[in-house]
């Protein structure tokens, strides 16, 4: 399940990053050539948010997200396992409460208010939908991490 999630996130992150770069080039061309592509800036903002949210989820899934483990590396094996479990439980709780629940409330509020992205003519809810989606993926990933062995950073051993 985790490998499938990582492959999905890699593909969607690569696609959204490629689209974002294309849109940035279009925005630059718009300013130089006066193409009147007002939708390009709004689409670039939309893709940037989605790229960041999916990229952060991918980084967490691959254990490549920014972290400070200097103190944890000094722990013995049981303490490392405990800190590993505690950190993933806290991440799971954060993802479910703030990202999924709070993100859903945010999306629902924007849809109910009828807010739109005028240049794209879509609901503003789609802009914020990356938050609960990423939260669900992070929650699923944290559960998968809880059942995986602890990897040490300086060796290939697992605990």
């Amino acid at each position: 399940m985790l490998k499938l999630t990582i492959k999905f996130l890699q593909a969607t992150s690569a696609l959204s990053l490629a689209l974002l770069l294309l849109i940035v080039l279009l925005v630059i061309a718009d300013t130089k050539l006066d193409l009147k592509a007002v939708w390009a800036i709004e689409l670039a903002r939309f893709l940037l948010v989605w790229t960041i949210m999916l990229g952060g989820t991918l980084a967490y899934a691959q254990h490549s997200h920014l972290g400070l483990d200097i103190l944890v590396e000094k722990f013995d094996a049981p303490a490392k396992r405990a800190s590993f479990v505690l950190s993933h439980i806290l991440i799971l709780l954060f993802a479910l409460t703030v990202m999924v629940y709070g993100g859903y409330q945010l999306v629902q509020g924007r849809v109910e208010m009828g807010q739109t992205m005028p240049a794209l003519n879509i609901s503003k809810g789609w802009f914020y939908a990356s938050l609960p989606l990423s939260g669900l993926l992070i929650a699923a990933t944290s559960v998968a991490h809880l059942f995986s062995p602890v990897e040490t950073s300086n060796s290939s051993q697992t605990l």
Side-chain angles (χ1 to χ4, degrees):
M1 172 72 176
L2 184 59
K3 289 181 181 180
L4 182 64
T5 302
I6 288 173
K7 286 189 186 293
F8 168 75
L9 287 169
Q10 286 173 333
T12 55
S13 293
L15 177 65
S16 63
L17 184 60
L19 288 171
L20 180 62
L21 292 175
L22 183 66
I23 296 299
V24 167
L25 290 174
L26 182 62
V27 168
I28 292 169
D30 180 45
T31 58
K32 298 294 182 194
L33 303 175
D34 198 30
L35 298 174
K36 305 280 190 255
V38 292
W39 56 270
I41 294 171
E42 202 164 87
L43 183 58
R45 188 177 301 123
F46 180 88
L47 288 172
L48 180 65
V49 168
W50 276 84
T51 302
I52 289 169
M53 295 306 295
L54 293 176
T57 304
L58 177 62
Y60 173 66
Q62 293 180 323
H63 296 287
S64 60
H65 204 281
L66 183 62
L68 187 61
D69 60 355
I70 296 170
L71 182 62
V72 175
E73 289 299 320
K74 306 268 187 232
F75 292 167
D76 60 352
K80 275 186 186 178
R81 180 69 188 165
S83 67
F84 179 83
V85 168
L86 178 63
S87 69
H88 288 296
I89 288 173
L90 291 174
I91 290 168
L92 174 65
L93 291 174
F94 178 83
L96 290 175
T97 56
V98 175
M99 296 179 77
V100 175
Y101 178 75
Y104 175 76
Q105 295 296 319
L106 183 65
V107 170
Q108 184 181 24
R110 297 306 160 257
V111 170
E112 287 175 359
M113 289 175 166
Q115 288 185 349
T116 61
M117 300 179 76
L120 296 177
N121 199 25
I122 61 171
S123 171
K124 191 87 171 203
W126 287 107
F127 182 79
Y128 293 110
S130 63
L131 188 60
L133 176 65
S134 294
L136 284 172
L137 291 171
I138 288 173
T141 302
S142 66
V143 170
H145 285 324
L146 283 171
F147 293 105
S148 68
V150 178
E151 297 178 12
T152 58
S153 60
N154 9 2
S155 69
S156 61
Q157 296 177 330
T158 56
L159 304 175

